Amino acid sequence: MHDDGSAPTAEVEETVTTPFDAQGLRGKLTANAPLAPLVWFKTGGNADWLYEPADLEDLREFLARLDGTMPVMALGLGSNLIVRDGGVPGVVIRLGKAFSTVEARRDMVLECGGGASGILVSSRARDAGVAGVEFLRGIPGTVGGFVRMNGGAYGREVADVLVDCDVVLPEGEFVTLPAADLQYTYRHSALPDGAVVVSARFQGREGIPEEIGAEMDRIANAREQSQPLRTKTGGSTFKNPPGEKAWQLVDAAGCRGMTKGGAQVSEKHTNFLINTGNATSADIEGLGEDVRRKVYGETGITLEWEIQRVGRP
Protein backbone atom coordinates (compact mmCIF):
# COMPACT_ATOMS: atom_id res chain seq x y z
CA MET A 1 0.00 0.00 0.00
CA HIS A 2 1.69 3.23 -1.10
CA ASP A 3 1.35 6.38 0.97
CA ASP A 4 -0.15 9.16 -1.13
CA GLY A 5 -0.85 11.32 1.90
CA SER A 6 -4.54 10.40 2.10
CA ALA A 7 -5.95 8.21 4.83
CA PRO A 8 -6.35 4.67 3.49
CA THR A 9 -9.29 2.40 4.13
CA ALA A 10 -8.42 -0.31 6.65
CA GLU A 11 -6.91 -3.27 4.84
CA VAL A 12 -7.26 -6.81 6.10
CA GLU A 13 -6.86 -10.11 4.30
CA GLU A 14 -10.21 -11.22 2.85
CA THR A 15 -9.91 -14.68 4.37
CA VAL A 16 -9.48 -13.44 7.94
CA THR A 17 -12.55 -12.73 10.05
CA THR A 18 -12.06 -9.77 12.38
CA PRO A 19 -13.47 -10.18 15.90
CA PHE A 20 -14.61 -6.54 15.66
CA ASP A 21 -16.18 -4.32 13.01
CA ALA A 22 -13.39 -3.05 10.74
CA GLN A 23 -15.75 -1.40 8.24
CA GLY A 24 -14.90 2.26 7.63
CA LEU A 25 -11.72 2.34 9.69
CA ARG A 26 -9.01 4.29 7.88
CA GLY A 27 -5.85 2.79 9.35
CA LYS A 28 -3.99 -0.36 8.38
CA LEU A 29 -5.08 -3.59 10.05
CA THR A 30 -2.90 -6.69 9.76
CA ALA A 31 -3.74 -10.13 11.14
CA ASN A 32 -0.96 -12.36 12.51
CA ALA A 33 1.54 -9.55 11.99
CA PRO A 34 5.28 -10.29 12.39
CA LEU A 35 6.74 -8.12 15.17
CA ALA A 36 10.40 -9.22 14.96
CA PRO A 37 11.17 -6.69 12.19
CA LEU A 38 9.72 -3.91 14.37
CA VAL A 39 11.83 -4.49 17.50
CA TRP A 40 15.53 -3.88 18.02
CA PHE A 41 16.34 -7.45 19.04
CA LYS A 42 14.81 -8.71 15.73
CA THR A 43 13.27 -11.68 17.56
CA GLY A 44 9.84 -12.81 18.69
CA GLY A 45 6.48 -13.97 17.40
CA ASN A 46 3.55 -12.29 15.73
CA ALA A 47 0.80 -9.99 16.99
CA ASP A 48 -2.69 -11.44 16.70
CA TRP A 49 -3.56 -8.04 15.23
CA LEU A 50 -1.49 -4.97 14.37
CA TYR A 51 -3.28 -1.66 13.87
CA GLU A 52 -1.61 1.45 12.48
CA PRO A 53 -4.18 4.23 12.92
CA ALA A 54 -4.55 6.97 10.32
CA ASP A 55 -4.93 9.69 12.97
CA LEU A 56 -6.27 10.35 16.47
CA GLU A 57 -9.95 10.06 15.55
CA ASP A 58 -9.29 6.79 13.74
CA LEU A 59 -7.49 5.40 16.80
CA ARG A 60 -10.35 6.43 19.09
CA GLU A 61 -12.91 4.84 16.78
CA PHE A 62 -10.90 1.62 16.56
CA LEU A 63 -10.52 1.30 20.34
CA ALA A 64 -14.16 2.18 20.91
CA ARG A 65 -15.15 -0.70 18.63
CA LEU A 66 -12.88 -3.08 20.55
CA ASP A 67 -14.64 -1.89 23.72
CA GLY A 68 -12.13 -3.58 26.00
CA THR A 69 -12.76 -7.03 24.51
CA MET A 70 -9.07 -7.81 23.94
CA PRO A 71 -5.70 -6.71 25.29
CA VAL A 72 -4.13 -3.60 23.71
CA MET A 73 -0.42 -2.80 23.63
CA ALA A 74 1.26 0.27 22.13
CA LEU A 75 4.51 -0.30 20.23
CA GLY A 76 7.01 2.50 19.65
CA LEU A 77 10.47 1.93 18.18
CA GLY A 78 10.66 -1.47 19.89
CA SER A 79 13.94 -0.55 21.54
CA ASN A 80 13.22 -1.55 25.12
CA LEU A 81 11.26 -4.69 24.42
CA ILE A 82 11.43 -8.46 24.26
CA VAL A 83 8.52 -9.88 22.25
CA ARG A 84 8.31 -13.50 23.34
CA ASP A 85 8.42 -16.24 20.69
CA GLY A 86 4.74 -17.14 21.05
CA GLY A 87 3.65 -13.69 19.93
CA VAL A 88 1.42 -11.04 21.47
CA PRO A 89 -2.28 -11.69 22.15
CA GLY A 90 -4.87 -9.09 21.21
CA VAL A 91 -4.00 -5.89 19.36
CA VAL A 92 -0.69 -4.05 19.01
CA ILE A 93 -1.05 -0.36 18.15
CA ARG A 94 1.74 1.30 16.20
CA LEU A 95 1.64 5.07 15.83
CA GLY A 96 2.91 6.38 12.49
CA LYS A 97 3.56 9.68 10.75
CA ALA A 98 0.38 11.39 11.96
CA PHE A 99 1.62 11.03 15.56
CA SER A 100 5.25 12.09 14.94
CA THR A 101 4.97 15.87 14.95
CA VAL A 102 6.99 18.18 17.23
CA GLU A 103 6.20 21.88 17.64
CA ALA A 104 7.90 24.46 19.86
CA ARG A 105 5.54 26.99 21.45
CA ARG A 106 6.46 30.54 22.50
CA ASP A 107 6.37 29.54 26.19
CA MET A 108 9.25 27.06 25.60
CA VAL A 109 6.85 24.12 25.74
CA LEU A 110 7.34 21.37 23.17
CA GLU A 111 4.14 19.84 21.79
CA CYS A 112 5.09 16.28 20.77
CA GLY A 113 3.23 13.44 19.11
CA GLY A 114 3.37 10.06 20.86
CA GLY A 115 5.19 8.53 17.90
CA ALA A 116 7.97 11.16 17.74
CA SER A 117 11.47 9.84 18.46
CA GLY A 118 13.80 11.23 21.09
CA ILE A 119 16.19 12.37 18.36
CA LEU A 120 13.42 14.28 16.58
CA VAL A 121 12.20 15.98 19.78
CA SER A 122 15.69 17.09 20.84
CA SER A 123 16.60 18.22 17.31
CA ARG A 124 13.44 20.34 16.93
CA ALA A 125 14.06 21.79 20.38
CA ARG A 126 17.63 22.71 19.39
CA ASP A 127 16.45 24.40 16.19
CA ALA A 128 13.89 26.42 18.16
CA GLY A 129 16.36 27.39 20.90
CA VAL A 130 14.61 25.33 23.58
CA ALA A 131 17.04 23.85 26.13
CA GLY A 132 16.41 21.22 28.80
CA VAL A 133 15.44 18.19 26.73
CA GLU A 134 18.87 17.36 25.28
CA PHE A 135 18.89 14.12 27.29
CA LEU A 136 16.15 12.73 25.03
CA ARG A 137 18.85 12.47 22.36
CA GLY A 138 20.31 9.66 24.45
CA ILE A 139 17.16 7.54 24.78
CA PRO A 140 16.19 5.23 21.92
CA GLY A 141 12.44 5.26 21.63
CA THR A 142 9.36 7.41 21.15
CA VAL A 143 7.52 9.93 23.29
CA GLY A 144 4.82 7.41 24.17
CA GLY A 145 7.41 5.01 25.57
CA PHE A 146 9.31 7.74 27.42
CA VAL A 147 6.13 8.95 29.10
CA ARG A 148 5.03 5.46 30.13
CA MET A 149 8.47 4.40 31.43
CA ASN A 150 9.70 7.75 32.80
CA GLY A 151 12.60 7.40 30.36
CA GLY A 152 15.88 8.97 31.38
CA ALA A 153 19.54 9.35 30.57
CA TYR A 154 22.56 11.39 31.65
CA GLY A 155 21.07 12.53 34.95
CA ARG A 156 17.66 13.65 33.65
CA GLU A 157 14.30 11.93 33.21
CA VAL A 158 10.87 12.64 31.72
CA ALA A 159 9.44 13.44 35.16
CA ASP A 160 11.70 16.53 35.17
CA VAL A 161 10.15 18.02 32.03
CA LEU A 162 6.65 16.58 31.45
CA VAL A 163 3.78 19.06 31.76
CA ASP A 164 0.97 16.69 30.78
CA CYS A 165 0.05 14.07 28.21
CA ASP A 166 -2.93 13.10 26.07
CA VAL A 167 -3.93 9.45 26.34
CA VAL A 168 -6.52 7.26 24.64
CA LEU A 169 -7.81 4.65 27.08
CA PRO A 170 -8.57 1.07 25.98
CA GLU A 171 -12.28 1.83 25.32
CA GLY A 172 -11.46 4.89 23.17
CA GLU A 173 -11.89 7.63 25.81
CA PHE A 174 -9.54 10.61 25.33
CA VAL A 175 -8.08 12.13 28.52
CA THR A 176 -5.38 14.65 29.38
CA LEU A 177 -3.32 13.63 32.40
CA PRO A 178 -1.12 16.12 34.29
CA ALA A 179 2.35 14.82 35.13
CA ALA A 180 1.40 14.44 38.82
CA ASP A 181 -1.28 11.87 37.92
CA LEU A 182 1.38 9.53 36.49
CA GLN A 183 2.97 9.13 39.96
CA TYR A 184 6.43 8.81 38.47
CA THR A 185 9.12 6.72 40.11
CA TYR A 186 12.32 5.34 38.60
CA ARG A 187 11.42 3.91 35.15
CA HIS A 188 7.78 3.54 36.14
CA SER A 189 4.44 5.36 35.88
CA ALA A 190 0.86 4.76 36.95
CA LEU A 191 -0.37 4.94 33.34
CA PRO A 192 -3.14 2.33 32.93
CA ASP A 193 -2.42 -0.85 30.96
CA GLY A 194 -3.57 -0.58 27.37
CA ALA A 195 -3.56 3.24 27.41
CA VAL A 196 -1.97 4.78 24.31
CA VAL A 197 -0.03 8.04 24.75
CA VAL A 198 -0.88 10.09 21.67
CA SER A 199 0.86 13.35 22.61
CA ALA A 200 2.77 15.04 25.41
CA ARG A 201 4.04 18.45 26.37
CA PHE A 202 7.55 18.99 27.71
CA GLN A 203 8.64 22.19 29.47
CA GLY A 204 11.98 23.52 28.26
CA ARG A 205 13.78 26.81 28.81
CA GLU A 206 15.34 29.42 26.58
CA GLY A 207 18.70 28.38 25.20
CA ILE A 208 21.21 28.97 22.42
CA PRO A 209 20.94 26.49 19.52
CA GLU A 210 24.72 26.06 19.24
CA GLU A 211 25.08 25.22 22.94
CA ILE A 212 22.09 22.86 22.84
CA GLY A 213 23.57 21.13 19.78
CA ALA A 214 26.95 20.77 21.50
CA GLU A 215 25.31 19.06 24.50
CA MET A 216 23.38 16.72 22.18
CA ASP A 217 26.64 15.85 20.40
CA ARG A 218 28.29 15.14 23.76
CA ILE A 219 25.46 12.76 24.68
CA ALA A 220 25.56 11.04 21.28
CA ASN A 221 29.33 10.56 21.53
CA ALA A 222 29.11 9.22 25.09
CA ARG A 223 26.55 6.63 23.94
CA GLU A 224 28.66 5.65 20.95
CA GLN A 225 31.73 5.14 23.14
CA SER A 226 30.04 3.15 25.90
CA GLN A 227 27.13 1.22 24.34
CA PRO A 228 26.92 -1.52 21.67
CA LEU A 229 24.76 0.61 19.38
CA ARG A 230 25.58 -1.22 16.14
CA THR A 231 24.21 -4.56 17.35
CA LYS A 232 20.76 -6.11 17.77
CA THR A 233 20.18 -5.07 21.35
CA GLY A 234 17.41 -3.73 23.56
CA GLY A 235 18.96 -0.89 25.52
CA SER A 236 19.55 -1.05 29.26
CA THR A 237 18.47 -4.48 30.50
CA PHE A 238 18.19 -3.94 34.26
CA LYS A 239 17.28 -1.00 36.46
CA ASN A 240 20.04 0.43 38.62
CA PRO A 241 19.40 -0.69 42.22
CA PRO A 242 19.53 2.11 44.82
CA GLY A 243 23.12 3.26 45.21
CA GLU A 244 24.42 0.74 42.65
CA LYS A 245 25.09 0.50 38.91
CA ALA A 246 23.55 -2.56 37.27
CA TRP A 247 26.44 -2.96 34.82
CA GLN A 248 28.99 -3.06 37.66
CA LEU A 249 27.03 -5.76 39.50
CA VAL A 250 26.73 -7.83 36.30
CA ASP A 251 30.43 -7.43 35.57
CA ALA A 252 31.50 -8.27 39.13
CA ALA A 253 29.39 -11.46 38.98
CA GLY A 254 31.50 -12.62 36.03
CA CYS A 255 28.76 -12.27 33.40
CA ARG A 256 30.60 -10.18 30.79
CA GLY A 257 30.40 -12.06 27.48
CA MET A 258 28.19 -14.81 28.94
CA THR A 259 25.99 -16.56 26.34
CA LYS A 260 22.82 -18.60 26.02
CA GLY A 261 21.95 -19.86 22.54
CA GLY A 262 22.39 -16.88 20.23
CA ALA A 263 22.16 -14.31 23.06
CA GLN A 264 25.18 -12.70 24.73
CA VAL A 265 25.92 -10.24 27.52
CA SER A 266 27.69 -7.36 25.74
CA GLU A 267 31.46 -7.18 26.20
CA LYS A 268 31.26 -3.41 25.68
CA HIS A 269 28.54 -2.64 28.24
CA THR A 270 27.42 -5.43 30.57
CA ASN A 271 23.91 -4.02 31.10
CA PHE A 272 23.15 -4.72 27.43
CA LEU A 273 22.10 -8.07 25.97
CA ILE A 274 22.80 -8.80 22.30
CA ASN A 275 21.29 -11.02 19.64
CA THR A 276 24.48 -12.28 17.97
CA GLY A 277 22.52 -13.36 14.91
CA ASN A 278 20.29 -16.37 15.57
CA ALA A 279 18.94 -15.81 19.08
CA THR A 280 15.35 -16.50 20.03
CA SER A 281 13.52 -14.29 22.49
CA ALA A 282 13.68 -17.25 24.91
CA ASP A 283 17.50 -17.17 24.62
CA ILE A 284 17.59 -13.45 25.42
CA GLU A 285 15.13 -13.57 28.33
CA GLY A 286 16.72 -16.78 29.65
CA LEU A 287 20.16 -15.19 29.58
CA GLY A 288 18.79 -12.21 31.50
CA GLU A 289 17.39 -14.56 34.14
CA ASP A 290 20.76 -16.38 34.35
CA VAL A 291 22.44 -13.02 34.96
CA ARG A 292 19.91 -12.12 37.66
CA ARG A 293 20.58 -15.44 39.43
CA LYS A 294 24.36 -14.96 39.30
CA VAL A 295 24.19 -11.39 40.58
CA TYR A 296 21.88 -12.45 43.41
CA GLY A 297 24.22 -15.32 44.29
CA GLU A 298 27.21 -12.97 44.44
CA THR A 299 25.65 -9.93 46.11
CA GLY A 300 22.19 -10.77 47.48
CA ILE A 301 20.81 -8.01 45.20
CA THR A 302 17.86 -8.88 42.95
CA LEU A 303 18.15 -6.99 39.67
CA GLU A 304 14.84 -5.76 38.25
CA TRP A 305 14.21 -5.89 34.51
CA GLU A 306 14.09 -2.51 32.78
CA ILE A 307 13.34 -4.09 29.39
CA GLN A 308 9.66 -4.90 28.95
CA ARG A 309 8.87 -8.57 28.24
CA VAL A 310 5.54 -9.17 26.53
CA GLY A 311 3.55 -11.97 24.94
CA ARG A 312 3.34 -15.74 25.10
CA PRO A 313 6.48 -17.81 25.80
Side-chain angles (χ1 to χ4, degrees):
M1 193 171 72
H2 75 286
D3 181 8
D4 62 0
S6 65
T9 300
E11 287 189 352
V12 62
E13 299 91 309
E14 293 300 320
T15 53
V16 178
T17 307
T18 58
F20 43 82
D21 177 17
Q23 191 66 37
L25 292 171
R26 293 174 291 115
K28 184 180 178 187
L29 181 64
T30 309
N32 200 31
L35 295 179
L38 306 182
V39 299
W40 279 30
F41 275 124
K42 303 301 178 209
T43 64
N46 296 355
D48 290 355
W49 298 93
L50 175 68
Y51 193 63
E52 298 166 271
D55 52 32
L56 175 59
E57 286 311 310
D58 186 55
L59 172 63
R60 292 189 63 188
E61 176 65 24
F62 176 74
L63 291 175
R65 291 188 194 186
L66 289 188
D67 196 26
T69 56
M70 58 176 69
V72 172
M73 183 189 101
L75 175 65
L77 292 186
S79 53
N80 195 243
L81 189 67
I82 294 172
V83 173
R84 293 183 174 122
D85 300 306
V88 177
V91 177
V92 172
I93 305 282
R94 191 161 184 249
L95 302 182
K97 212 183 295 183
F99 298 89
S100 300
T101 55
V102 180
E103 290 178 30
R105 301 192 326 211
R106 287 171 186 257
D107 54 1
M108 297 292 144
V109 168
L110 296 159
E111 186 98 35
C112 308
S117 69
I119 290 177
L120 180 64
V121 175
S122 54
S123 298
R124 289 280 164 81
R126 174 199 62 211
D127 296 347
V130 178
V133 296
E134 296 88 345
F135 72 98
L136 293 177
R137 172 66 182 81
I139 316 176
T142 58
V143 166
F146 302 157
V147 169
R148 176 174 287 282
M149 289 290 297
N150 190 18
Y154 303 96
R156 302 267 285 162
E157 59 186 14
V158 165
D160 299 328
V161 295
L162 183 71
V163 178
D164 58 18
C165 62
D166 297 328
V167 171
V168 180
L169 297 175
E171 291 80 24
E173 185 187 356
F174 177 89
V175 294
T176 299
L177 301 175
D181 284 13
L182 298 184
Q183 300 170 36
Y184 275 139
T185 53
Y186 175 58
R187 301 294 176 267
H188 183 265
S189 77
L191 201 64
D193 284 346
V196 180
V197 178
V198 290
S199 57
R201 282 153 291 278
F202 299 131
Q203 180 67 60
R205 61 179 190 277
E206 199 166 343
I208 299 167
E210 292 75 18
E211 292 177 2
I212 297 166
E215 174 64 6
M216 285 169 58
D217 290 345
R218 185 190 72 77
I219 288 170
N221 291 335
R223 286 188 73 223
E224 182 73 44
Q225 296 302 315
S226 65
Q227 298 175 12
L229 300 182
R230 302 187 191 287
T231 61
K232 296 172 189 167
T233 185
S236 295
T237 306
F238 304 111
K239 299 177 183 180
N240 290 324
E244 305 278 358
K245 295 281 189 205
W247 76 264
Q248 289 177 338
L249 295 170
V250 174
D251 205 16
C255 299
R256 185 181 292 264
M258 195 163 104
T259 61
K260 188 182 193 84
Q264 181 182 32
V265 176
S266 170
E267 300 265 7
K268 188 171 186 179
H269 191 311
T270 50
N271 198 26
F272 282 65
L273 302 180
I274 291 170
N275 172 6
T276 62
N278 62 344
T280 63
S281 291
D283 290 341
I284 297 166
E285 188 171 6
L287 178 60
E289 291 297 337
D290 289 349
V291 169
R292 293 178 73 225
R293 275 191 291 274
K294 285 198 75 167
V295 168
Y296 182 78
E298 290 285 324
T299 64
I301 294 172
T302 301
L303 289 176
E304 283 185 44
W305 283 91
E306 182 169 328
I307 287 179
Q308 302 294 293
R309 287 116 42 241
V310 299
R312 314 173 185 99

